[in-house]
Amino acid sequence: MNGNPLFVLASIFVLVQASCGNSGQLENRNKNSEVLNHQKTLAIDDSYRPTINVYIENSGSMDGYVKGVTEFEQTLFSYLTDIRITGITDSLNLFYINSIIIPFKSDLSEFIERLEPDTFRARGGNRGVTEISNIINSVLLNTGEKDISILVTDGVFSPGRDANALEYLKNQQIRIRDYMASHLARNSETAVVIYKLSSNFNGRYFNRYDAPSIINESRPYFIWVIGNLRHINQLIASIPDRTEKRVENFFTIIKGNRKVDYAIKRGSGNFKLDRSNPKTEITKLKKDRRTGKVKFAIDANLSRFLLSDDYLLDPNNYTLNNSNYKFSIKNAVSNPHGYTHTFEFNADNVHKGIVIIMLKSQIPQWVEEVNDEIGLTAIEGKTFGIKHQIHGVYEAFTFNNNIYTDISINIK
Amino acid sequence: MSKLYVFGIGGTGARVLKSLTMLLAAGVDCGVDTIVPVIIDRDMSNKDLSRTKLLIEDYISVNRISVTNGRNKFFKTKFSLLAGNLCLQLRDNTQRFEDFIGRNTMTTENKALVDMLFSEKTLKLDMTEGFQGNPNIGSVVLNQFENSNVFEAFANDFKQGDKIFIVSSIFGGTGASGFPLLRKIVQTPNVNDADGRNLQNWGLVNKAQIGAISVLPYFIVGQSVEESQVDSDTFIDKTRAALSYYKTEDKRIDTMYYIADKRTTTYEHHRGGDLQKNNAHFVEMAAAMAILDFVNPEKLAENINRDNEDRISQTTYKEFGINADKSEITFSDLADETRKLIVNPLSRFLLFAKYMGYTVVKKDINGREELIVEKINKNDIFKKEYKHQPYARNRFSDGFRSVDAIKKLESIQIRYFEWLLEMEDQNRKFSPFNLLSANCMDFIKGNMGSATKKGFPYKNWAIMDNELNSLAPEIDRALETENSFLELFYRVTENLINYKN
Amino acid sequence: MEVILGNIYCWFESLFGQNLAEYLWGYNCETQVYSGKNLFNSIGLITLGVSLVFVFAYYYLPLFFFNHPRTNRWWNWLMLLFIAGIVNFVIGYAWTINDFLNGNIGDCLMYYRDSDGNIISNLIYKRDCWLFGLSNFFISSMFFIFWSIIFKWWSRNCKHSPCF
């Protein structure tokens, strides 16, 4: 929650950045241009021009991010400038947020680029203890159907001197879940994207007891993007590639139980498509003449989930109901139907019946790794309690189930 | 179930009966159900006689399969033999005439009388060979009729309504004298049988309707090769003599038919026996038509004239004529009435025979080109088609033609062809058909085109096969195979050939 | 019911290929469903009709050599089966080659393209149209036999041709 200058954000939040727990390591990944293409196919829909509200937390813990020229400032300035340039919105509104929301009427450069701790301080509000759940709630309450809210925060919890930290964290998680759920009830199409970046931080770091220490090192910070899935998609699609790829990890979530466009891939095995349901049913499945194995493939369009390619290519993120078959996923070859990925199934023998593969919503591994559960000192690359924020959001979205979509085919 | 007893006397009688058999085989309408033929002849080895006997026996076999309760007319009229016999044999078989009359056992006075009445030659005559043109001998000898057991059978068989017809020639030996004698016996009351007993139904016989035909000269006998007393030049004289004798028959016969032909053919001169085989002549066929005329129910009023006591009040005299005196007669030369009677049956039966493969071909025999009747494989449409056509499939299969009745039918068909061929080979030709034709529909000469069905779009024999296939389903399934065969072919030929005046 | 004809044609699918078969089933490349016309039904009905016409003519038409006592041999019937087969062969070939050349067949069935959209190989060839014609010949013969079995029984002259 104590601020530091934000850095210019590379426009590679286009999903493909950070790995999402493939091997459990923090990775700076270069974007995958193929996935970028998928996003670029989403046209900007002129009938919906969202309003974009940007909230920068300006509590005391944020000062270190804005001292001097920081990556925090540069990244954010670049990002917000790009948003303005895309023309995706007519109204880009700027706010500072702590216990209250403070609108800022001047230009972007003033808003972020030329910030210094004293000017930061001067923006006002109660810069003392701020509960993250409250900040999130404030932002949510101000996010209507046509709004995109961008919240920039250090994500550090401050339970305070007297509090039981563990209880506090759990409590916060529940609140965040609660606020998120209420918001979801009003706006079921809400999508949440949480980017983790890093910036040089020169200033006071407050630990869980609120005890400060002076540090001058790289510290993580988080950009939350909340809004209608459609607008989020537009936003991501329109932000251009930037050579400075600053996003290190990200987490996205939308409500599950969605339908996606999928079809059995013609010619992917020795079978006939069912005449009445050629996309989802096959008949006369037999062993492949050459290999002697049974195989078939399904193409699907998984582009609307805001998930990275790494996430989608990881079999661990899927559940298959039929243990007779093994599967793997790869990117789909270029096709006019918009399919992004292909599931390939194989088995030794033919097994008839329904095969369902479910894409799960899971919290990526990096969240665990970036999380600091102790919070006594500033640990490099970690944030105290960040996991609970993200879990809270996750739990709100996956209240009923954590299945994004299921792809079901029938082998007759 | 009325019958007609036809007594054919001598060679002519046998040949006329043969023509009658052919006509009835072809299905000419007959006013009675049954014909009972009786051939009276002394000369049992006469070839005409044996031909006719064989023919009638075969006819009787085929007649059994002609019963169809359908439309079939081929062989429809029954033939029935008295006591299984066709020929009325004379009991005595003494060789020579003088032995027969018992000259040698006569008194000297009687012997002298006999010697006066009969010439030496006549007395020495071998009677097994007929009476060789001597009617005077015949009349004596034939008084032997009443002592025959065939007569017994005749008497027992005779029913009310049955009729009698006598066929004889006015020339020649056996026939000339036999006719009035026979007529007398038939009308003599209380005739006894061989054992001297009174014949039962003789009263019916006495009163029966009776007709007769006298066939006047229609052929000349050629120069004698062997010893023979037959001499054509005396024919006319003999005719005159006999005709006067017949005057006494007036009012004893219901209907009297005459037929003759001034245009004559010369036959080979044979005394009789195996070699006396005269070819069929149109006159014989016309004589047979007289028989049919006699029993024609439509002609009853003109033929029969009886008084209240059923005695003949008047004899009707009839002669046969044709439209024009041509040496070659076709159907168009015949009178309407004749045509109505015979055009359809003769044509239909001929068509039937042709279908079965029979035809006339020219063959080289002993250096001479002759016409003979044969079954030609190429023309045997039945044989070629029976495996393929629906009408024959599962019905007339292999071995069908080996069935006895069918074999007999086909043998009659050959003889029918031969009969037609013989009638063409006379001075007065009867050749209404082009017998050499292998064609289905154009074998009838003259303007008979209206008689035959066009048959479009089928040609030639396909017309007949088409008709066979078409009518086969209509044939009663309950019929025996052979019966249905006749019924089918009758119907088909009836459809294809239908001459109307 | 409406897939009966198609299923019959697909007995010969190994002749004319699965891709042409998919086209004839009415596979639409854009929507990936069988929303197009089931051409097996169209061609099949024509083949059924043509063979019926020939069968009917052979057994019943009172013209030329049809329903004729001299053409009721089994090999006459066979000749007609052959002729009907040829006619249907031509129909089958013409229909498919026409669609083939006019670009009526969807791209995804015609070509196998790489990710840049270049054609790697053809999936349907002209010879598949010939082979479809050939299949139609066989199917026409089957239909011919079928109609013969049904209709021959009332034929005046050809009832026993052939004798099944």
Side-chain angles (χ1 to χ4, degrees):
Chain A
M1 283 191 310
N2 293 326
N4 257 339
L6 292 173
F7 286 93
V8 172
L9 237 183
S11 51
I12 309 103
F13 3 101
V14 189
L15 301 185
V16 193
Q17 265 304 42
S19 85
C20 301
N22 241 348
S23 50
Q25 287 162 3
L26 280 175
E27 284 170 20
N28 276 337
R29 281 292 131 245
N30 283 342
K31 62 142 182 68
N32 185 326
S33 64
E34 274 190 22
V35 180
L36 182 62
N37 283 338
H38 293 156
Q39 295 314 306
K40 286 256 194 274
T41 58
L42 288 169
I44 293 182
D45 191 348
D46 280 331
S47 60
Y48 281 85
R49 294 178 79 82
T51 304
I52 301 188
N53 304 317
V54 184
Y55 305 88
I56 298 184
E57 188 196 343
N58 71 332
S59 54
S61 59
M62 297 290 289
D63 285 351
Y65 290 108
V66 301
K67 183 153 183 199
V69 175
T70 59
E71 288 146 318
F72 179 86
E73 289 165 321
Q74 285 173 337
T75 304
L76 272 178
F77 183 60
S78 172
Y79 181 49
L80 296 175
T81 307
D82 281 343
I83 291 179
R84 174 161 278 156
I85 292 173
T86 61
I88 191 178
T89 181
D90 293 327
S91 34
L92 180 66
N93 303 317
L94 311 169
F95 302 89
Y96 296 104
I97 185 169
N98 42 62
S99 53
I100 56 169
I101 296 174
I102 307 136
F104 182 74
K105 293 295 180 207
S106 190
D107 65 45
L108 262 183
S109 179
E110 283 298 320
F111 181 62
I112 182 64
E113 194 193 21
R114 298 218 284 265
L115 269 187
E116 284 300 321
D118 41 1
T119 39
F120 212 24
R121 219 172 290 134
R123 299 292 186 234
N126 182 354
R127 304 183 72 241
V129 173
T130 318
E131 283 201 357
I132 289 187
S133 62
N134 286 341
I135 291 180
I136 290 171
N137 194 28
S138 304
V139 169
L140 287 175
L141 290 173
N142 280 300
T143 308
E145 209 185 278
K146 295 206 176 115
D147 300 325
I148 298 181
S149 298
I150 300 177
L151 167 66
V152 186
T153 164
D154 62 0
V156 178
F157 276 119
S158 299
R161 259 162 284 227
D162 301 320
N164 178 341
L166 201 54
E167 285 293 319
Y168 180 83
L169 291 177
K170 282 200 186 135
N171 205 287
Q172 286 289 292
Q173 181 174 328
I174 292 168
R175 281 176 182 237
I176 291 173
R177 183 210 309 160
D178 192 28
Y179 297 142
M180 196 74 234
S182 305
H183 180 79
L184 266 178
R186 294 188 300 272
N187 307 281
S188 60
E189 280 298 291
T190 298
V192 174
V193 183
I194 303 175
Y195 298 109
K196 179 224 172 203
L197 302 89
S198 294
S199 169
N200 40 336
F201 181 94
N202 186 358
R204 282 192 296 177
Y205 174 82
F206 293 90
N207 72 358
R208 81 185 215 212
Y209 295 120
D210 254 355
S213 50
I214 310 286
I215 59 171
N216 188 353
E217 59 194 49
S218 177
R219 289 291 313 146
Y221 69 96
F222 300 89
I223 301 179
W224 293 52
V225 183
I226 302 169
N228 187 295
L229 172 60
R230 190 187 200 114
H231 299 143
I232 304 286
N233 267 324
Q234 272 175 6
L235 177 65
I236 292 171
S238 16
I239 300 296
D241 250 2
R242 290 280 169 211
T243 46
E244 295 106 13
K245 305 170 206 321
R246 299 292 180 184
V247 172
E248 294 156 4
N249 299 101
F250 67 95
F251 165 77
T252 66
I253 193 157
I254 58 175
K255 248 183 127 75
N257 264 344
R258 292 176 187 269
K259 297 251 163 285
V260 293
D261 195 19
Y262 65 94
I264 295 166
K265 197 177 172 105
R266 221 170 43 86
S268 61
N270 190 351
F271 56 82
K272 296 256 177 289
L273 298 176
D274 180 85
R275 303 290 162 218
S276 355
N277 298 300
K279 284 165 105 170
T280 59
E281 296 192 330
I282 62 175
T283 62
K284 298 199 187 124
L285 178 62
K286 294 191 188 95
K287 290 190 186 175
D288 184 60
R289 282 178 213 105
R290 271 182 308 122
T291 63
K293 295 222 176 279
V294 173
K295 63 186 179 85
F296 62 91
I298 305 176
D299 287 328
N301 178 355
L302 303 176
S303 62
R304 55 192 300 214
F305 295 109
L306 303 177
L307 296 167
S308 70
D309 228 27
D310 289 333
Y311 187 93
L312 293 171
L313 290 175
D314 181 0
N316 292 318
N317 291 323
Y318 299 90
T319 306
L320 179 59
N321 74 327
N322 191 327
S323 56
N324 294 312
Y325 292 94
K326 298 191 190 35
F327 74 96
S328 61
I329 317 115
K330 54 184 237 226
N331 286 316
V333 295
S334 170
N335 65 83
H337 305 284
Y339 297 127
T340 58
H341 294 81
T342 301
F343 297 87
E344 291 176 341
F345 295 83
N346 64 79
D348 288 329
N349 293 302
V350 175
H351 301 275
K352 293 191 184 175
I354 308 235
V355 172
I356 308 179
I357 186 154
M358 292 174 273
L359 173 63
K360 295 184 287 194
S361 170
Q362 306 202 101
I363 295 181
Q365 187 58 21
W366 66 261
V367 171
E368 191 64 40
E369 289 150 7
V370 166
N371 185 51
D372 171 15
E373 199 72 1
I374 313 294
L376 283 175
T377 57
I379 302 173
E380 190 183 337
K382 290 195 191 242
T383 301
F384 175 57
I386 183 65
K387 147 178 154 181
H388 295 273
Q389 296 164 43
I390 294 181
H391 275 255
V393 172
Y394 177 83
E395 281 161 14
F397 275 87
T398 63
F399 192 72
N400 291 314
N401 66 50
N402 68 337
I403 305 295
Y404 270 132
T405 186
D406 55 88
I407 290 170
S408 160
I409 65 147
N410 190 8
I411 302 176
K412 284 184 168 174
Chain B
M1 270 303 300
S2 54
K3 296 206 280 285
L4 172 70
Y5 291 82
V6 180
F7 291 92
I9 304 179
T12 304
R15 287 194 296 278
V16 169
L17 264 175
K18 180 177 165 207
S19 285
L20 178 65
T21 309
M22 288 299 183
L23 286 177
L24 293 176
V28 171
D29 290 322
C30 181
V32 293
D33 310 304
T34 309
I35 306 278
V36 184
V38 183
I39 298 183
I40 296 175
D41 206 343
R42 178 72 199 240
D43 185 3
M44 282 301 128
S45 59
N46 183 337
K47 188 109 193 222
D48 282 330
L49 180 62
S50 45
R51 286 211 299 176
T52 307
K53 182 165 196 281
L54 276 169
L55 179 63
I56 291 178
E57 281 170 353
D58 286 346
Y59 182 105
I60 292 175
S61 295
V62 182
N63 167 262
R64 283 192 208 108
I65 64 167
S66 76
V67 180
T68 62
N69 295 325
R71 306 174 63 79
N72 179 47
K73 284 191 188 171
F74 294 145
F75 298 88
K76 181 173 174 186
T77 308
K78 281 226 288 277
F79 269 69
S80 167
L81 296 176
L82 278 175
N85 280 331
L86 177 64
C87 304
L88 180 46
Q89 269 218 337
L90 297 175
R91 280 158 96 208
D92 253 328
N93 255 327
T94 321
Q95 287 279 42
R96 290 198 302 204
F97 182 57
E98 61 179 357
D99 297 326
F100 184 72
I101 57 172
R103 181 179 169 280
N104 290 330
T105 58
M106 282 178 186
T107 59
T108 321
E109 292 81 11
N110 285 344
K111 257 195 214 170
L113 189 61
V114 163
D115 289 344
M116 211 165 58
L117 285 172
F118 299 108
S119 68
E120 174 83 30
K121 217 167 160 207
T122 307
L123 285 169
K124 294 278 185 269
L125 189 57
D126 184 345
M127 293 201 310
T128 55
E129 294 187 343
F131 301 116
Q132 295 185 23
N134 284 314
N136 38 347
I137 299 183
S139 52
V140 171
V141 173
L142 284 175
N143 264 313
Q144 304 309 309
F145 274 171
E146 54 197 293
N147 293 329
S148 154
N149 51 9
V150 173
F151 250 68
E152 235 179 277
F154 167 58
N156 289 334
D157 215 32
F158 206 89
K159 304 265 185 311
Q160 175 80 32
D162 287 349
K163 307 178 217 265
I164 299 171
F165 199 92
I166 304 172
V167 180
S168 62
S169 70
I170 206 162
F171 62 99
T174 324
S177 45
F179 160 47
L181 183 61
L182 184 58
R183 199 274 311 152
K184 213 159 71 156
I185 293 170
V186 155
Q187 288 179 340
T188 303
N190 304 321
V191 170
N192 295 331
D193 65 12
D195 301 323
R197 281 181 299 216
N198 217 289
L199 288 168
Q200 288 274 22
N201 292 328
W202 208 249
L204 289 174
V205 174
N206 292 154
K207 289 287 184 184
Q209 290 174 10
I210 181 164
I213 183 165
S214 219
V215 182
L216 272 54
Y218 64 95
F219 63 83
I220 305 171
V221 172
Q223 285 295 68
S224 155
V225 171
E226 341 68 29
E227 279 269 319
S228 169
Q229 283 202 24
V230 179
D231 183 0
S232 290
D233 294 337
T234 59
F235 269 21
I236 303 300
D237 298 322
K238 293 200 173 110
T239 303
R240 212 179 294 139
L243 274 172
S244 58
Y245 179 55
Y246 291 166
K247 206 161 169 296
T248 60
E249 299 304 311
D250 188 47
K251 291 206 183 42
R252 310 255 198 249
I253 307 271
D254 285 292
T255 321
M256 184 74 210
Y257 296 85
Y258 287 97
I259 184 164
D261 192 359
K262 284 197 288 214
R263 194 190 288 269
T264 50
T265 310
T266 303
Y267 284 165
E268 272 177 33
H269 186 161
H270 294 292
R271 264 170 39 199
D274 218 30
L275 290 172
Q276 187 186 4
K277 167 189 167 316
N278 300 330
N279 277 352
H281 195 284
F282 176 70
V283 163
E284 290 150 14
M285 188 178 80
M289 286 195 265
I291 303 175
L292 295 171
D293 180 278
F294 180 66
V295 295
N296 188 347
E298 286 168 26
K299 303 272 182 83
L300 189 64
E302 72 188 38
N303 287 346
I304 312 294
N305 300 290
R306 297 276 177 121
D307 63 17
N308 296 337
E309 278 144 46
D310 205 23
R311 286 186 301 219
I312 299 168
S313 59
Q314 192 190 335
T315 299
T316 308
Y317 291 89
K318 288 186 168 180
E319 266 188 325
F320 183 83
I322 55 177
N323 277 353
D325 182 8
K326 289 162 63 181
S327 62
E328 187 166 328
I329 308 172
T330 62
F331 282 135
S332 42
D333 300 314
L334 300 174
D336 282 349
E337 200 180 300
T338 314
R339 280 201 288 244
K340 240 187 351 192
L341 187 67
I342 65 169
V343 169
N344 280 334
L346 290 186
S347 308
R348 290 171 186 167
F349 196 59
L350 185 65
L351 179 59
F352 187 8
K354 278 157 69 86
Y355 187 87
M356 301 308 286
Y358 299 101
T359 190
V360 171
V361 287
K362 291 195 175 117
K363 255 206 170 139
D364 210 341
I365 297 180
N366 300 332
R368 279 194 313 169
E369 197 182 67
E370 295 208 357
L371 294 172
I372 60 164
V373 177
E374 255 190 351
K375 179 152 74 159
I376 308 282
N377 265 339
K378 193 161 58 90
N379 294 15
D380 190 347
I381 314 295
F382 182 80
K383 181 169 176 184
K384 283 200 280 185
E385 296 298 323
Y386 80 94
K387 283 204 170 84
H388 304 284
Q389 302 302 335
Y391 81 83
R393 201 100 178 211
N394 301 327
R395 221 188 209 161
F396 313 125
S397 41
D398 300 331
F400 175 69
R401 284 170 108 164
S402 317
V403 171
D404 186 65
I406 302 299
K407 279 209 291 219
K408 297 220 162 96
L409 164 69
E410 292 198 52
S411 103
I412 293 179
Q413 284 177 331
I414 297 185
R415 280 178 274 182
Y416 176 76
F417 242 108
E418 285 169 344
W419 176 68
L420 289 172
L421 187 60
E422 286 172 17
M423 285 197 282
E424 265 191 18
D425 193 23
Q426 304 282 11
N427 220 358
R428 174 83 68 187
K429 298 185 201 325
F430 177 61
S431 58
F433 300 119
N434 183 357
L435 293 177
L436 288 160
S437 156
N439 199 285
C440 172
M441 293 305 259
D442 66 354
F443 59 91
I444 306 176
K445 285 189 192 165
N447 248 346
M448 298 282 123
S450 62
T452 56
K453 184 170 171 169
K454 275 287 164 278
F456 179 82
Y458 306 103
K459 287 217 198 67
N460 203 3
W461 289 106
I463 299 176
M464 188 146 172
D465 282 318
N466 177 60
E467 205 69 30
L468 284 160
N469 289 331
S470 178
L471 294 177
E474 293 175 23
I475 308 299
D476 186 355
R477 288 252 145 223
L479 286 176
E480 295 284 334
T481 312
E482 298 81 30
N483 301 46
S484 60
F485 182 68
L486 271 185
E487 176 70 21
L488 176 62
F489 273 85
Y490 182 77
R491 289 202 198 189
V492 165
T493 51
E494 185 189 32
N495 267 14
L496 292 177
I497 298 176
N498 205 355
Y499 170 76
K500 292 190 231 297
N501 265 339
Chain C
M1 180 63 214
E2 48 165 62
V3 298
I4 286 183
L5 283 171
N7 284 337
I8 293 175
Y9 274 93
C10 282
W11 297 339
F12 299 90
E13 199 182 281
S14 46
L15 272 181
F16 53 87
Q18 196 176 6
N19 289 298
L20 186 57
E22 296 285 11
Y23 166 67
L24 292 167
W25 275 117
Y27 189 76
N28 182 319
C29 276
E30 275 82 48
T31 60
Q32 293 188 300
V33 291
Y34 295 96
S35 53
K37 214 160 155 226
N38 182 343
L39 293 175
F40 284 126
N41 279 350
S42 314
I43 299 178
L45 281 174
I46 291 178
T47 303
L48 211 59
V50 167
S51 56
L52 176 62
V53 163
F54 275 94
V55 164
F56 218 78
Y58 178 73
Y59 288 117
Y60 296 105
L61 192 68
L63 261 189
F64 308 115
F65 291 106
F66 296 122
N67 191 16
H68 198 285
R70 294 290 172 268
T71 59
N72 56 12
R73 285 33 175 178
W74 63 266
W75 45 265
N76 293 116
W77 173 86
L78 198 65
M79 243 170 50
L80 215 61
L81 175 144
F82 196 78
I83 294 176
I86 296 290
V87 170
N88 282 318
F89 169 86
V90 169
I91 292 176
Y93 170 72
W95 191 305
T96 48
I97 199 70
N98 185 50
D99 283 345
F100 178 88
L101 295 172
N102 286 342
N104 292 344
I105 305 182
D107 190 272
C108 72
L109 297 170
M110 285 283 283
Y111 308 107
Y112 183 43
R113 293 181 186 267
D114 65 13
S115 43
D116 295 325
N118 302 319
I119 297 175
I120 300 178
S121 66
N122 278 26
L123 295 171
I124 301 181
Y125 297 88
K126 262 198 197 152
R127 69 148 190 268
D128 292 325
C129 298
W130 286 107
L131 290 170
F132 180 74
L134 182 65
S135 310
N136 211 26
F137 173 87
F138 292 131
I139 288 174
S140 162
S141 304
M142 278 164 33
F143 287 157
F144 196 91
I145 294 174
F146 170 72
W147 289 129
S148 295
I149 293 178
I150 293 181
F151 281 112
K152 68 189 270 249
W153 306 106
W154 304 277
S155 172
R156 195 190 319 135
N157 291 308
C158 299
K159 193 156 93 148
H160 294 112
S161 166
C163 51
F164 38 51

